[in-house]
Amino acid sequence: MTVYYVNSVTGSNSNGGTSESSAFATLSAVESLRLNPGDSVLLAAGSVFNEQFDLKYSGSISAPITISSYGIGDAPVIRSSNDGIHGSKASNIVIENIKIADTGANAIYAGNVSNWTVRNVEVSNTGLSGKPGSVSFQSSQNITIENSTLTGVRSDGIWMDKVNGVTLVNNTVTNSQGSAADAIQLNDSSNILVKGNHLEQSETNSAKGVLVLIRAQNAVVEENTLVGGGFGLSAQAGTNIAIHDNDISGYGGYSWSYGIGLGDQGNATNYDISGNYLHDGVYGVLISAIGSPAYVRENIAIHDNVFDDLSSSALKIDRSASGYFSNNIIDSSVSTLTMPAAIAAQNTFSIGENKTFEQAQAELDGAAGGTSGDTSSSNEQTPTTPVSENVDVPAPSQVSSPAPSVETPATTVPAVVDPKIVAVHDSLKISTDTGSAYLGNLLENDNASNGTVLLRRFGDSAVDKHGLTLTGKYGVIHVESDGDYSYMVDAAKLAGLSGKVSEFFQYKISDGASHIDTDSLSVSINVDAFHTSHAAQMLA
């Protein structure tokens, strides 16, 4: 197992390359070697390499070939008129702690490979407009991308086709440019985990969306933040798809824009869509298709989601489908359902009991002994029942086979289980500049069967007795261990903006008895109204 060093500033290709003092100068010097399992290629901090790095040899599962960095300073940068890193049939590779920028094609491309891990890699200004991907894998297996950042690329951020075993965890992908660009697109892939990522398309010229899964098999998409785009999550076709606990907002631009959509480009079976917060968009969940393709859409379970600030309905179904929609919380100003009478008459999709925010809060208050707490961090509502946007829509009968979980297909309605701890999304809406912090409590609308609710983590950090302060996209938030929070808008960050902007903070609560749930706070700012009140304050 040999370590090779490359330093574009002090190195020389006449060196042996096996120590910092005898480093190579270029990546081509490494390409001339036969790398063996367990070998490492370390690039010096501050180096810039204006060449494509071709990986020709494979490591082993227990001893991968690693491309990383050494030294103190800025991460080494690979620039190229072609791909940054290119691999074909080279497996068991780790790429970490480097930057790839200003390439003429992909930052990373690999085909017919297995067991690649990309971690702590920064990517910018890469990809080719109109072509798939900036970090791209094709006809491969076991690909992991984690803790990496892709910003302002010229195509899809991450693109994969025919990959079995995809893990995308804790990445940030923002503003992928190009008319056909998505933050992430996965085609005909299987055994997928997309978790804890921040994906944003709020400042892009793309006419598409944020996250796309086409004909996926066995996919879990959970605890992600999706912002902007023509749509949020397009899981158009697939089998065994779980979409849980995501925050999806800011999607729009089209009359059909949706937070979660399915029903096009193939059969869609066994979907569980639950625990998501869909807000500041057009439709919540859309089951539809272009034209009238003979696709199957069955066992679609949509439950325990929150729908807020939507210009159309929480659910739209305009193609044949089976499943159910129940136990969701819907802003009282948002209608529940858009369903043509002809589809409703098929009696295959059940619309069960759903709640407004007031009804959900009243139930929590009742469970806590009938006392109602301050609701300053929840949405202001009028307690009315959401209504259908369609006339003469008969109530569908109860479907006999609701959507099962991804792990264990089910054929009967699952029993209702009383949860040990229940977390309810929090929302802070700001439309005036008060000149002071906005206050609330994160825990007052949460509930535990033992009566104890504790704030454990906020963002990625533990909350201790001194509390925690985080700087967000548009302001600074401080939280205490008892759930009290204060949010101070940074007016300078709103300069030049208009319309509505939002940011999202995720946190975990516990009942002190090993039961944990994930909760979230969404901060929505009406920028125009804020600017107006701020200007009035300055003149006062």
Side-chain angles (χ1 to χ4, degrees):
M1 296 183 181
T2 305
V3 178
Y4 296 99
Y5 298 85
V6 191
N7 190 319
S8 67
V9 179
T10 64
S12 170
N13 287 350
S14 63
N15 290 334
T18 55
S19 68
E20 294 185 31
S21 60
S22 63
F24 292 133
T26 66
L27 301 176
S28 60
V30 178
E31 291 176 9
S32 66
L33 303 172
R34 181 179 182 88
L35 297 177
N36 295 305
D39 285 353
S40 296
V41 178
L42 303 184
L43 312 183
S47 288
V48 176
F49 302 97
N50 296 304
E51 54 186 318
Q52 177 175 296
F53 191 11
D54 285 312
L55 298 178
K56 304 174 184 178
Y57 303 104
S58 296
S60 65
I61 293 177
S62 60
I65 292 172
T66 299
I67 313 301
S68 189
S69 63
Y70 74 96
I72 299 173
D74 294 336
V77 181
I78 295 176
R79 295 190 170 103
S80 168
S81 59
N82 296 306
D83 293 335
I85 294 178
H86 184 97
S88 179
K89 300 181 180 180
S91 295
N92 305 303
I93 302 292
V94 174
I95 301 172
E96 62 184 7
N97 304 326
I98 65 171
K99 181 176 181 178
I100 305 174
D102 307 317
T103 62
N106 291 272
I108 299 173
Y109 173 82
N112 299 294
V113 303
S114 61
N115 304 318
W116 276 52
T117 297
V118 177
R119 68 165 70 99
N120 298 325
V121 171
E122 182 180 351
V123 174
S124 64
N125 196 31
T126 64
L128 186 62
S129 181
K131 299 294 184 180
S134 180
V135 174
S136 303
F137 290 88
Q138 196 165 21
S139 302
S140 298
Q141 60 183 353
N142 298 334
I143 305 300
T144 297
I145 303 175
E146 59 188 10
N147 300 316
S148 293
T149 301
L150 292 84
T151 305
V153 300
R154 299 187 298 271
S155 56
D156 303 300
I158 297 172
W159 181 88
M160 297 191 193
D161 183 71
K162 298 180 179 65
V163 175
N164 178 16
V166 177
T167 301
L168 306 177
V169 178
N170 296 333
N171 301 290
T172 299
V173 184
T174 56
N175 299 323
S176 300
Q177 303 293 326
S179 61
D182 304 296
I184 296 176
Q185 180 170 336
L186 308 177
N187 300 329
D188 297 297
S189 296
S190 57
N191 299 314
I192 297 165
L193 174 64
V194 181
K195 182 174 182 178
N197 302 281
H198 182 99
L199 311 175
E200 184 165 349
Q201 290 284 81
S202 59
E203 298 177 8
T204 176
N205 62 350
S206 173
K208 294 183 70 181
V210 183
L211 174 59
V212 177
L213 307 179
I214 298 177
R215 295 177 295 273
Q217 304 291 315
N218 303 322
V220 176
V221 181
E222 61 184 6
E223 299 178 14
N224 302 281
T225 301
L226 280 62
V227 182
F231 55 81
L233 168 54
S234 177
Q236 286 297 340
T239 302
N240 296 341
I241 310 297
I243 302 172
H244 298 156
D245 303 319
N246 302 283
D247 186 285
I248 304 174
S249 69
Y251 52 91
Y254 306 97
S255 61
W256 50 261
S257 290
Y258 52 81
I260 299 173
L262 60 100
D264 209 343
Q265 303 188 47
N267 295 337
T269 60
N270 301 345
Y271 279 56
D272 188 275
I273 300 172
S274 61
N276 302 286
Y277 181 32
L278 299 105
H279 58 107
D280 298 294
V282 183
Y283 290 101
V285 177
L286 177 65
I287 302 176
S288 186
I290 298 175
S292 301
Y295 294 141
V296 172
R297 307 168 194 88
E298 62 183 10
N299 289 349
I300 313 299
I302 306 169
H303 60 97
D304 298 288
N305 302 282
V306 176
F307 299 90
D308 187 16
D309 275 346
L310 302 179
S311 60
S312 292
S313 54
L315 173 65
K316 179 179 181 179
I317 307 175
D318 61 10
R319 296 295 184 272
S320 298
S322 70
Y324 68 92
F325 180 86
S326 66
N327 204 37
N328 300 285
I329 299 175
I330 305 171
D331 184 294
S332 57
S333 66
V334 175
S335 61
T336 299
L337 176 67
T338 300
M339 180 188 287
I343 299 298
Q346 297 174 4
N347 290 330
T348 57
F349 208 97
S350 172
I351 307 302
E353 181 181 354
N354 297 282
K355 305 179 182 69
T356 64
F357 283 92
E358 294 81 10
Q359 291 167 337
Q361 185 65 54
E363 289 185 6
L364 287 172
D365 291 343
T371 57
S372 178
D374 177 17
T375 58
S376 59
S377 66
S378 61
N379 297 282
E380 296 180 3
Q381 310 291 332
T382 302
T384 58
T385 301
V387 295
S388 170
E389 288 185 352
N390 292 89
V391 180
D392 299 326
V393 179
S397 61
Q398 175 64 48
V399 65
S400 61
S401 181
S405 66
V406 168
E407 293 80 6
T408 307
T411 56
T412 59
V413 176
V416 176
V417 178
D418 183 25
K420 299 293 185 182
I421 187 166
V422 178
V424 178
H425 293 283
D426 297 281
S427 179
L428 171 63
K429 296 182 179 180
I430 298 172
S431 58
T432 58
D433 181 7
T434 65
S436 59
Y438 297 82
L439 307 178
N441 187 282
L442 301 170
L443 305 180
E444 63 190 6
N445 58 353
D446 301 326
N447 183 49
S449 57
N450 66 359
T452 299
V453 181
L454 306 170
L455 180 61
R456 291 300 195 193
R457 299 185 68 85
F458 192 87
D460 295 327
S461 303
V463 180
D464 60 21
K465 63 181 180 180
H466 303 295
L468 178 70
T469 300
L470 291 179
T471 299
K473 189 172 183 179
Y474 302 108
V476 176
I477 188 167
H478 179 82
V479 297
E480 297 288 350
S481 58
D482 62 0
D484 282 342
Y485 73 83
S486 62
Y487 180 88
M488 190 72 185
V489 176
D490 186 344
K493 292 184 177 180
L494 300 181
L497 302 180
S498 62
K500 288 184 177 180
V501 298
S502 61
E503 61 179 314
F504 168 78
F505 301 95
Q506 195 169 68
Y507 56 93
K508 292 186 181 296
I509 63 173
S510 168
D511 64 353
S514 76
H515 302 113
I516 297 174
D517 202 354
T518 299
D519 206 344
S520 59
L521 169 67
S522 176
V523 179
S524 177
I525 305 174
N526 185 325
V527 177
D528 298 327
F530 186 90
H531 284 327
T532 299
S533 64
H534 180 73
Q537 264 201 354
M538 298 298 292
L539 293 172

